[in-house]
Amino acid sequence: MKASYNWLKEFVDFPHSPEELAELMTNIGLNVEGIDEVGGAWTDVYVGRVLTCEPVPETDHLSFCRVDAGTGETLEIVCGAPNVAAGQLVPVAVVGADLPGGFKIKERTLRNVTSHGMICSEGELGISDEHAGIMVLPEDCRIGAPLTDYIGGRDWIYDLEITINRPDCLSHLGIAREIHAATGIELKMPAMEFDEVGESASDRISIEILAPEKCPRYSARIVNGVRIAPSPLWVRDRLRKLGVRPISNVVDVTNYVLLELGHPLHAFDWRLVTDGRIIVRTAAAGERFVTLDEIEHTLEASDLLIADPSGGIALAGVMGGFNSEIKDDTEDVLLECAYFDPVGIRTTSRDRAISTESSYRFERGVDPEMTLYAVDRAAWLVQQFAGGGILKGIVDNYPRPWETASIKLRPERVNSLLATDIPTERMIAFLTRLGCRIRTDETITVQTPSWRHDLEREIDLVEEIARLYGYNNVDAAVTSSVPLTCNIDRERDRRLTDSFRRALVQLGFREAISPSLVPYTDTEKFPYPASPVRLLNPISEDMSHLRTNLGPSLLRATARSLKRNELHNVRIFEWGKCFRMDGNAVSEGLRLAALLTGDIRPETWVDNTRQLNIYDLKGLIEEFAYIISLDKLKFNAYDIKYLSNSGKITVSEGENGREIGSFGCLNPQVCRSFDVDSPCWYFEFDGDELLLLSGSAPRYKALPRYPALNRDLAFITDLSLKAGELEIVLWENGGSHLTTVELFDLFSGKGVPAGKKSLAFHLAFRSSERTLSDDEVDDSIKRIINAARREVGAVLRS
């Protein structure tokens, strides 16, 4: 769940900084996995009016514009966008402005015309990928105002881990409720006031629920006379920052309310709803339905449909229908807000292989009492963004009203369990802030709010009181041997381990799980350089030692797959602990190993295949490292006893590489000792090193703005020299602008002296700040040629 600091502050006016708020949320159970600062990516960009726009002589695309940017003088700007025109309001970067990617605006002369600034596109501002034309601003923007008053303002986006039992926190309102409960600061609901017009909505629409067990509530409103257009700038900016693509004002409203209140909505084009009748029913077995993504689905009787007399118009709680979507000429909008049974939505989402933001919330459980407020909020926003009139009344079919749970609370029991002395009045205050209603007589009766489905028993209330009281304020029991605080490092390791498994499965591997006890013969067959650990009292000789590595287990699994299952292509991996004697002590550590044999891909009638080779192995390792964010990976040739064509896997660290694994082709005699006759490629990692070095957060890297200069060099080298050794020399001597080194040719024969070979490399040089000159690149080439001759005896091929 992503949440905006600024949006949360609209609900609760807290004094906390972004970092302090993250700590507060984590302390009350909303685990903050990351904070990203967004916006504020430019300076000195203002709203300006294009006063005149004339073509620049002798060009077919440049325009000479005079622009009022509120600076007190008219700016003369040369613009190359095809859509620039007089009268437009546009974003203007004045001289001295900084734009994303380190681009600074300076005076420039184009075709003898000096440009004093730049009229910007969305792409140049980093708002979107749109570079085709300048950004045209709405007419309600004020000339001379900083653009950040309307879009691109500074914000902080939290990445929150919301547990499955807290779907109420899958919204800004839900998170704000938690902040209110923890701090006591007032919770402010979004303001909205509107006048209803025209006829009653119930005269235009009817709702019939034929499956009340799957749809206990369905509410709807109608907004007439809307105009479909882009949403206001601030709405599009807010949605983009939270990872949602803006579409149109009406559709954006449904996404906005989902993020704001946590309740999914759907907007129908009212004219496409036959007879104005909404029928909530289960699908007929085999019924076909086309969703918004234009994919046809064959439904089952367990699927719930929103339909009209002519057929389905939405797959309930999952995705709308292509036949009733909002179009550019839509004028009347039907807004739906419902409560669906979570189990049914989960089943449909799984069976239809459709996962959406709506289904994610519905299958966890939304607030059944929120439908009226949410549909009112959506109708008000549609009116604000798209105009139109809101018809009188909400059509609300509620065959199975929600019933609050009543739980008896014993304050003495709370203090007994927590070993605290919390006053009863303070417990009541905590629960009241959570939205509970309290009735006190001889006992305390707590009525839970409609959005807290997880509060079912007294112990649930005890946990809430402890959470708001502060776990750090609860003393650990003296006799307890179990720490009350979670092990953050262990949780991080668990997540990283899961990511390793997912990455290898993504690359076509299957996981093997084998016992840690192995026979001593494994150490003879697989000469791994580690002293084995023998058990003092083994069950049998086949289980007499702790494994030193994972290779023998993977070979046994491969042998079974090749023979018993008659497979040809095998890719398997294993993650587990391995053991060795370190002096008189037993040392243990995590290892990750993978084995693959067979072809690069299955053969088909349209495509031949080939056997795996060392390049395929290195490519898989590099792809695995990329997926798990393991940076600066290198391969170094090295002879390993049980491998051929082998090497070490290292990670660059200062001047030296940090060894984290090995790779190569298993020796044929090793494979045959485990009854495997086909070539087997193998790599392994030190698992503890992987956990330390991987998992760094992906970082944005701007696309290059300046062209690369390319050079191809061919070297004559000794046959014994490995291409990787020469490649390292090229990298180390190419300078900071060298961005690519690729081997593209290996040749020996005519024209190459005996005992020699030719290695040809493609080099690319690029600067992020300017276009490089030929002289600069030539200097780098000279350094490379001299270093290659000096360090590895490689001579430039003439």
Short mmCIF file of all heavy atoms in Angstrom, two decimals, residues 139-179:
data_model
loop_
_atom_site.label_atom_id
_atom_site.label_comp_id
_atom_site.label_asym_id
_atom_site.label_seq_id
_atom_site.Cartn_x
_atom_site.Cartn_y
_atom_site.Cartn_z
N GLU A 139 -6.91 26.92 -17.87
CA GLU A 139 -7.05 28.37 -17.83
C GLU A 139 -7.17 28.92 -16.42
O GLU A 139 -7.03 30.13 -16.21
CB GLU A 139 -8.27 28.80 -18.66
CG GLU A 139 -8.04 28.78 -20.15
CD GLU A 139 -6.95 29.76 -20.57
OE1 GLU A 139 -6.95 30.92 -20.11
OE2 GLU A 139 -6.06 29.37 -21.35
N ASP A 140 -7.43 28.07 -15.44
CA ASP A 140 -7.56 28.59 -14.07
C ASP A 140 -6.21 28.76 -13.38
O ASP A 140 -6.15 29.15 -12.21
CB ASP A 140 -8.47 27.70 -13.23
CG ASP A 140 -7.97 26.26 -13.15
OD1 ASP A 140 -6.95 25.95 -13.76
OD2 ASP A 140 -8.63 25.45 -12.46
N CYS A 141 -5.11 28.46 -14.08
CA CYS A 141 -3.79 28.66 -13.50
C CYS A 141 -3.43 30.15 -13.56
O CYS A 141 -3.76 30.85 -14.52
CB CYS A 141 -2.73 27.84 -14.24
SG CYS A 141 -2.94 26.06 -14.07
N ARG A 142 -2.74 30.64 -12.55
CA ARG A 142 -2.40 32.06 -12.43
C ARG A 142 -1.05 32.34 -13.05
O ARG A 142 -0.06 31.68 -12.70
CB ARG A 142 -2.42 32.47 -10.96
CG ARG A 142 -2.08 33.95 -10.71
CD ARG A 142 -2.25 34.29 -9.24
NE ARG A 142 -1.47 33.42 -8.41
CZ ARG A 142 -0.18 33.64 -8.11
NH1 ARG A 142 0.46 34.68 -8.62
NH2 ARG A 142 0.46 32.80 -7.30
N ILE A 143 -0.99 33.31 -13.95
CA ILE A 143 0.27 33.67 -14.61
C ILE A 143 1.28 34.13 -13.56
O ILE A 143 0.97 34.94 -12.68
CB ILE A 143 0.05 34.78 -15.66
CG1 ILE A 143 -0.82 34.26 -16.81
CG2 ILE A 143 1.38 35.30 -16.20
CD1 ILE A 143 -1.20 35.31 -17.82
N GLY A 144 2.49 33.58 -13.65
CA GLY A 144 3.55 33.94 -12.73
C GLY A 144 3.63 33.06 -11.50
O GLY A 144 4.60 33.14 -10.73
N ALA A 145 2.62 32.20 -11.30
CA ALA A 145 2.64 31.31 -10.14
C ALA A 145 3.64 30.19 -10.36
O ALA A 145 3.79 29.69 -11.48
CB ALA A 145 1.25 30.73 -9.90
N PRO A 146 4.37 29.77 -9.32
CA PRO A 146 5.24 28.60 -9.47
C PRO A 146 4.41 27.39 -9.90
O PRO A 146 3.30 27.17 -9.39
CB PRO A 146 5.83 28.40 -8.07
CG PRO A 146 5.69 29.72 -7.40
CD PRO A 146 4.44 30.34 -7.95
N LEU A 147 4.94 26.61 -10.81
CA LEU A 147 4.19 25.45 -11.30
C LEU A 147 3.89 24.46 -10.18
O LEU A 147 2.89 23.75 -10.22
CB LEU A 147 4.98 24.76 -12.42
CG LEU A 147 4.27 23.60 -13.13
CD1 LEU A 147 3.02 24.10 -13.83
CD2 LEU A 147 5.21 22.92 -14.11
N THR A 148 4.76 24.44 -9.16
CA THR A 148 4.54 23.50 -8.05
C THR A 148 3.30 23.85 -7.24
O THR A 148 2.87 23.05 -6.40
CB THR A 148 5.77 23.47 -7.12
OG1 THR A 148 6.14 24.81 -6.78
CG2 THR A 148 6.93 22.78 -7.79
N ASP A 149 2.71 25.03 -7.47
CA ASP A 149 1.42 25.32 -6.83
C ASP A 149 0.31 24.44 -7.39
O ASP A 149 -0.73 24.26 -6.74
CB ASP A 149 1.03 26.79 -7.05
CG ASP A 149 1.87 27.74 -6.21
OD1 ASP A 149 2.69 27.24 -5.41
OD2 ASP A 149 1.71 28.97 -6.36
N TYR A 150 0.54 23.88 -8.58
CA TYR A 150 -0.49 23.09 -9.25
C TYR A 150 -0.09 21.63 -9.45
O TYR A 150 -0.96 20.75 -9.48
CB TYR A 150 -0.84 23.72 -10.61
CG TYR A 150 -1.30 25.14 -10.50
CD1 TYR A 150 -0.41 26.20 -10.70
CD2 TYR A 150 -2.62 25.44 -10.17
CE1 TYR A 150 -0.83 27.52 -10.59
CE2 TYR A 150 -3.05 26.75 -10.07
CZ TYR A 150 -2.15 27.79 -10.27
OH TYR A 150 -2.58 29.08 -10.15
N ILE A 151 1.18 21.39 -9.62
CA ILE A 151 1.62 20.03 -9.92
C ILE A 151 3.11 19.90 -9.58
O ILE A 151 3.86 20.87 -9.66
CB ILE A 151 1.39 19.69 -11.42
CG1 ILE A 151 1.61 18.21 -11.69
CG2 ILE A 151 2.23 20.54 -12.32
CD1 ILE A 151 1.17 17.78 -13.09
N GLY A 152 3.49 18.69 -9.16
CA GLY A 152 4.90 18.42 -8.93
C GLY A 152 5.44 18.91 -7.61
O GLY A 152 6.66 18.96 -7.42
N GLY A 153 4.54 19.26 -6.65
CA GLY A 153 5.00 19.70 -5.35
C GLY A 153 5.70 18.58 -4.59
O GLY A 153 5.52 17.39 -4.88
N ARG A 154 6.46 18.96 -3.60
CA ARG A 154 7.24 17.99 -2.82
C ARG A 154 6.31 17.15 -1.94
O ARG A 154 5.40 17.66 -1.30
CB ARG A 154 8.23 18.75 -1.96
CG ARG A 154 9.33 17.91 -1.34
CD ARG A 154 10.24 18.80 -0.53
NE ARG A 154 11.36 18.08 0.03
CZ ARG A 154 12.07 18.53 1.05
NH1 ARG A 154 11.75 19.69 1.61
NH2 ARG A 154 13.09 17.85 1.52
N ASP A 155 6.55 15.85 -1.94
CA ASP A 155 5.76 14.93 -1.13
C ASP A 155 6.64 13.74 -0.76
O ASP A 155 7.75 13.57 -1.28
CB ASP A 155 4.52 14.47 -1.91
CG ASP A 155 3.44 13.88 -1.01
OD1 ASP A 155 3.66 13.78 0.22
OD2 ASP A 155 2.38 13.51 -1.53
N TRP A 156 6.13 12.92 0.16
CA TRP A 156 6.83 11.71 0.57
C TRP A 156 5.85 10.55 0.46
O TRP A 156 4.74 10.63 0.99
CB TRP A 156 7.36 11.83 2.01
CG TRP A 156 8.45 12.83 2.14
CD1 TRP A 156 9.79 12.60 2.14
CD2 TRP A 156 8.29 14.26 2.27
NE1 TRP A 156 10.48 13.78 2.27
CE2 TRP A 156 9.59 14.81 2.35
CE3 TRP A 156 7.18 15.11 2.33
CZ2 TRP A 156 9.80 16.18 2.48
CZ3 TRP A 156 7.39 16.47 2.45
CH2 TRP A 156 8.70 16.99 2.53
N ILE A 157 6.25 9.52 -0.26
CA ILE A 157 5.38 8.38 -0.49
C ILE A 157 5.88 7.21 0.35
O ILE A 157 7.03 6.79 0.23
CB ILE A 157 5.36 7.99 -1.98
CG1 ILE A 157 4.91 9.19 -2.83
CG2 ILE A 157 4.42 6.80 -2.20
CD1 ILE A 157 3.54 9.74 -2.50
N TYR A 158 4.99 6.70 1.21
CA TYR A 158 5.32 5.57 2.07
C TYR A 158 4.91 4.27 1.38
O TYR A 158 3.83 4.19 0.77
CB TYR A 158 4.57 5.66 3.40
CG TYR A 158 4.92 6.87 4.22
CD1 TYR A 158 4.08 7.98 4.26
CD2 TYR A 158 6.09 6.92 4.97
CE1 TYR A 158 4.39 9.10 5.01
CE2 TYR A 158 6.41 8.03 5.73
CZ TYR A 158 5.56 9.12 5.74
OH TYR A 158 5.88 10.22 6.48
N ASP A 159 5.76 3.27 1.50
CA ASP A 159 5.42 1.92 1.07
C ASP A 159 5.14 1.12 2.34
O ASP A 159 6.05 0.83 3.11
CB ASP A 159 6.57 1.31 0.27
CG ASP A 159 6.19 -0.01 -0.39
OD1 ASP A 159 5.03 -0.43 -0.22
OD2 ASP A 159 7.04 -0.61 -1.04
N LEU A 160 3.86 0.81 2.55
CA LEU A 160 3.44 0.18 3.80
C LEU A 160 3.11 -1.29 3.58
O LEU A 160 2.50 -1.66 2.57
CB LEU A 160 2.20 0.89 4.35
CG LEU A 160 2.37 2.36 4.74
CD1 LEU A 160 1.02 3.01 4.94
CD2 LEU A 160 3.20 2.49 6.00
N GLU A 161 3.49 -2.11 4.52
CA GLU A 161 3.09 -3.51 4.52
C GLU A 161 1.84 -3.64 5.39
O GLU A 161 1.91 -3.50 6.62
CB GLU A 161 4.20 -4.40 5.06
CG GLU A 161 3.83 -5.87 5.06
CD GLU A 161 4.85 -6.73 5.78
OE1 GLU A 161 5.52 -6.22 6.71
OE2 GLU A 161 4.99 -7.91 5.43
N ILE A 162 0.72 -3.88 4.74
CA ILE A 162 -0.55 -4.00 5.46
C ILE A 162 -0.87 -5.49 5.59
O ILE A 162 -0.99 -6.20 4.59
CB ILE A 162 -1.70 -3.28 4.71
CG1 ILE A 162 -1.31 -1.82 4.45
CG2 ILE A 162 -2.99 -3.38 5.50
CD1 ILE A 162 -1.04 -0.99 5.68
N THR A 163 -1.02 -5.96 6.81
CA THR A 163 -1.31 -7.38 7.03
C THR A 163 -2.71 -7.70 6.54
O THR A 163 -3.59 -6.83 6.46
CB THR A 163 -1.17 -7.73 8.52
OG1 THR A 163 -2.01 -6.86 9.29
CG2 THR A 163 0.27 -7.58 8.97
N ILE A 164 -2.95 -8.97 6.25
CA ILE A 164 -4.19 -9.38 5.60
C ILE A 164 -5.41 -9.15 6.48
O ILE A 164 -6.53 -9.02 5.99
CB ILE A 164 -4.08 -10.87 5.17
CG1 ILE A 164 -5.19 -11.21 4.17
CG2 ILE A 164 -4.13 -11.78 6.39
CD1 ILE A 164 -4.99 -12.54 3.50
N ASN A 165 -5.21 -9.05 7.80
CA ASN A 165 -6.36 -8.86 8.70
C ASN A 165 -6.71 -7.39 8.88
O ASN A 165 -7.63 -7.06 9.63
CB ASN A 165 -6.06 -9.47 10.07
CG ASN A 165 -4.93 -8.74 10.78
OD1 ASN A 165 -3.94 -8.40 10.16
ND2 ASN A 165 -5.08 -8.51 12.07
N ARG A 166 -5.99 -6.48 8.20
CA ARG A 166 -6.27 -5.05 8.36
C ARG A 166 -6.57 -4.38 7.01
O ARG A 166 -5.91 -3.41 6.61
CB ARG A 166 -5.08 -4.35 9.02
CG ARG A 166 -4.83 -4.74 10.47
CD ARG A 166 -6.02 -4.44 11.38
NE ARG A 166 -6.48 -3.08 11.27
CZ ARG A 166 -5.99 -2.06 11.98
NH1 ARG A 166 -5.02 -2.28 12.85
NH2 ARG A 166 -6.48 -0.84 11.84
N PRO A 167 -7.60 -4.85 6.30
CA PRO A 167 -7.94 -4.21 5.03
C PRO A 167 -8.42 -2.78 5.21
O PRO A 167 -8.44 -2.01 4.25
CB PRO A 167 -9.04 -5.11 4.46
CG PRO A 167 -9.64 -5.77 5.66
CD PRO A 167 -8.50 -5.98 6.60
N ASP A 168 -8.83 -2.42 6.43
CA ASP A 168 -9.27 -1.04 6.68
C ASP A 168 -8.13 -0.04 6.49
O ASP A 168 -8.39 1.16 6.34
CB ASP A 168 -9.84 -0.92 8.09
CG ASP A 168 -8.83 -1.31 9.17
OD1 ASP A 168 -8.42 -2.49 9.17
OD2 ASP A 168 -8.45 -0.46 9.98
N CYS A 169 -6.89 -0.52 6.50
CA CYS A 169 -5.74 0.37 6.34
C CYS A 169 -5.27 0.46 4.89
O CYS A 169 -4.20 1.02 4.62
CB CYS A 169 -4.58 -0.10 7.23
SG CYS A 169 -4.92 0.09 8.99
N LEU A 170 -6.04 -0.08 3.96
CA LEU A 170 -5.68 0.00 2.55
C LEU A 170 -6.24 1.29 1.93
O LEU A 170 -6.77 1.30 0.82
CB LEU A 170 -6.20 -1.23 1.79
CG LEU A 170 -5.54 -2.55 2.15
CD1 LEU A 170 -6.27 -3.72 1.50
CD2 LEU A 170 -4.07 -2.55 1.73
N SER A 171 -6.13 2.38 2.67
CA SER A 171 -6.60 3.68 2.19
C SER A 171 -5.98 4.76 3.05
O SER A 171 -5.47 4.50 4.16
CB SER A 171 -8.13 3.78 2.29
OG SER A 171 -8.54 3.79 3.65
N HIS A 172 -6.03 5.99 2.58
CA HIS A 172 -5.52 7.11 3.38
C HIS A 172 -6.40 7.35 4.59
O HIS A 172 -5.90 7.71 5.66
CB HIS A 172 -5.40 8.35 2.50
CG HIS A 172 -4.25 8.30 1.55
ND1 HIS A 172 -4.27 7.55 0.39
CD2 HIS A 172 -3.00 8.87 1.61
CE1 HIS A 172 -3.11 7.69 -0.23
NE2 HIS A 172 -2.32 8.46 0.48
N LEU A 173 -7.71 7.19 4.44
CA LEU A 173 -8.59 7.34 5.58
C LEU A 173 -8.26 6.31 6.66
O LEU A 173 -8.20 6.64 7.85
CB LEU A 173 -10.05 7.20 5.14
CG LEU A 173 -11.08 7.13 6.28
CD1 LEU A 173 -11.03 8.38 7.15
CD2 LEU A 173 -12.48 6.91 5.72
N GLY A 174 -8.05 5.06 6.25
CA GLY A 174 -7.77 4.01 7.22
C GLY A 174 -6.47 4.27 7.97
O GLY A 174 -6.40 4.10 9.20
N ILE A 175 -5.43 4.72 7.24
CA ILE A 175 -4.16 5.02 7.90
C ILE A 175 -4.32 6.23 8.80
O ILE A 175 -3.77 6.29 9.91
CB ILE A 175 -3.06 5.24 6.85
CG1 ILE A 175 -2.85 3.96 6.03
CG2 ILE A 175 -1.75 5.67 7.50
CD1 ILE A 175 -2.02 4.16 4.79
N ALA A 176 -5.09 7.23 8.33
CA ALA A 176 -5.32 8.43 9.14
C ALA A 176 -6.07 8.08 10.42
O ALA A 176 -5.81 8.68 11.48
CB ALA A 176 -6.10 9.46 8.33
N ARG A 177 -7.01 7.15 10.35
CA ARG A 177 -7.69 6.70 11.58
C ARG A 177 -6.69 6.17 12.59
O ARG A 177 -6.81 6.41 13.80
CB ARG A 177 -8.70 5.61 11.24
CG ARG A 177 -9.99 6.08 10.58
CD ARG A 177 -10.95 4.91 10.50
NE ARG A 177 -12.20 5.24 9.84
CZ ARG A 177 -12.68 4.60 8.78
NH1 ARG A 177 -11.99 3.58 8.26
NH2 ARG A 177 -13.82 4.95 8.25
N GLU A 178 -5.70 5.41 12.11
CA GLU A 178 -4.70 4.85 13.01
C GLU A 178 -3.84 5.95 13.62
O GLU A 178 -3.49 5.89 14.80
CB GLU A 178 -3.82 3.86 12.24
CG GLU A 178 -4.54 2.60 11.81
CD GLU A 178 -4.94 1.75 13.00
OE1 GLU A 178 -4.05 1.22 13.68
OE2 GLU A 178 -6.15 1.66 13.27
N ILE A 179 -3.48 6.96 12.81
CA ILE A 179 -2.69 8.08 13.34
C ILE A 179 -3.50 8.83 14.38
O ILE A 179 -2.99 9.23 15.43
CB ILE A 179 -2.25 9.00 12.18
CG1 ILE A 179 -1.34 8.23 11.20
CG2 ILE A 179 -1.53 10.24 12.72
CD1 ILE A 179 -1.04 9.00 9.93
#
